[in-house]
Amino acid sequence: GENVEQHPSTLSVQEGDSAVIKCTYSDSASNYFPWYKQELGKGPQLIIDIRSNVGEKKDQRIAVTLNKTAKHFSLHITETQPEDSAVYFCAASKGDDKIIFGKGTRLHILP
Amino acid sequence: ETGVTQSPTHLIKTRGQQVTLRCSSQSGHNTVSWYQQALGQGPQFIFQYYREEENGRGNFPPRFSGLQFPNYSSELNVNALELDDSALYLCASRPPTGVTEAFFGQGTRLTVV
């Protein structure tokens, strides 16, 4: 069935360094790939997304890349800050269909 | 803030009881979907409503049911609660048509004892 794999499950980086989270998806018909940040006690917050007709997208310190052939997509956070500490979810969907989430990456920014 | 509001924020129920959770979608959003998020896991799709009709359902039993109202707000009903139903229940809304972003509410934390 449809599946999204996410790695690593936990990531610790020094403040100011970069963090990379990688995901793979199984359904080749997926055409929309959002990333969500979830802080304790809150719902997931959309931070960036990419559509299948684009290979890369950047928004300030956050960038996402998509390799449709390999069915891989990644989140890159540069110049990490303490407020980046949270759980990050990658996800995939087809148009306005259900969103399939990865299991999440807990990101710790070390002082 | 996304403009998607859920109530209540927390709820404790006894096994076998029934529960209703509510969601108000963001203004102009006519698609509402519900997700269950167990502790330490990603959200799992329960079902989706578009213009008051269910138009997608995940791998959840029939005791999970829902409604969408003309103002696009929605309810999630769960009958015969089980201990494993303890989770964060999330509502998400999307604007009309196409490949569009989904915005989540803060969730309802349901504990079944």
Side-chain angles (χ1 to χ4, degrees):
Chain A
E2 301 150 316
N3 191 41
V4 174
E5 298 280 347
Q6 182 172 349
H7 300 281
S9 56
T10 305
L11 179 61
S12 296
V13 300
Q14 213 68 40
E15 183 179 347
D17 287 351
S18 296
V20 180
I21 301 170
K22 298 184 178 183
C23 292
T24 60
Y25 60 98
S26 61
D27 188 346
S28 56
S30 297
N31 60 359
Y32 176 64
F33 305 90
W35 287 86
Y36 287 88
K37 175 183 180 182
Q38 189 173 29
E39 296 174 318
L40 199 61
K42 297 186 177 181
Q45 175 194 1
L46 180 68
I47 57 171
I48 195 167
D49 56 16
I50 190 166
R51 287 163 171 77
S52 59
N53 59 346
V54 176
E56 190 172 344
K57 182 177 178 180
K58 189 174 181 180
D59 182 5
Q60 299 183 336
R61 298 185 296 107
I62 296 174
V64 291
T65 59
L66 172 65
N67 181 332
K68 283 194 302 181
T69 303
K71 291 190 277 189
H72 289 175
F73 58 119
S74 301
L75 176 73
H76 303 249
I77 306 174
T78 58
E79 300 171 14
T80 52
Q81 300 170 1
E83 54 265 35
D84 295 331
S85 292
V87 179
Y88 291 80
F89 292 96
C90 62
S93 78
K94 294 178 283 192
D96 59 357
D97 199 5
K98 62 178 179 276
I99 301 173
I100 308 295
F101 286 83
K103 290 190 175 182
T105 295
R106 184 170 297 278
L107 176 62
H108 299 276
I109 306 301
L110 306 172
Chain B
E1 295 297 325
T2 63
V4 179
T5 58
Q6 294 185 240
S7 62
T9 55
H10 295 84
L11 200 53
I12 299 175
K13 287 287 190 177
T14 303
R15 189 172 48 183
Q17 284 188 315
Q18 178 267 343
V19 68
T20 297
L21 310 182
R22 295 179 174 82
C23 172
S24 293
S25 60
Q26 189 166 325
S27 177
H29 289 192
N30 59 5
T31 299
V32 173
S33 47
W34 287 89
Y35 291 79
Q36 181 195 66
Q37 186 177 22
L39 207 58
Q41 301 293 315
Q44 298 286 317
F45 176 74
I46 302 174
F47 44 57
Q48 177 169 284
Y49 280 83
Y50 171 68
R51 292 187 176 180
E52 303 176 58
E53 296 286 331
E54 183 183 296
N55 74 339
R57 188 175 182 93
N59 189 25
F60 281 81
R63 58 189 186 84
F64 285 78
S65 63
L67 282 173
Q68 188 180 30
F69 300 99
N71 66 355
Y72 303 136
S73 65
S74 178
E75 286 183 355
L76 164 66
N77 299 290
V78 187
N79 293 324
L81 283 166
E82 301 177 359
L83 297 179
D84 283 350
D85 295 333
S86 295
L88 181 67
Y89 288 85
L90 297 161
C91 167
S93 74
R94 283 175 130 150
T97 67
V99 180
T100 56
E101 303 89 341
F103 297 95
F104 284 82
Q106 83 281 7
T108 293
R109 173 71 62 187
L110 172 66
T111 302
V112 182
V113 296

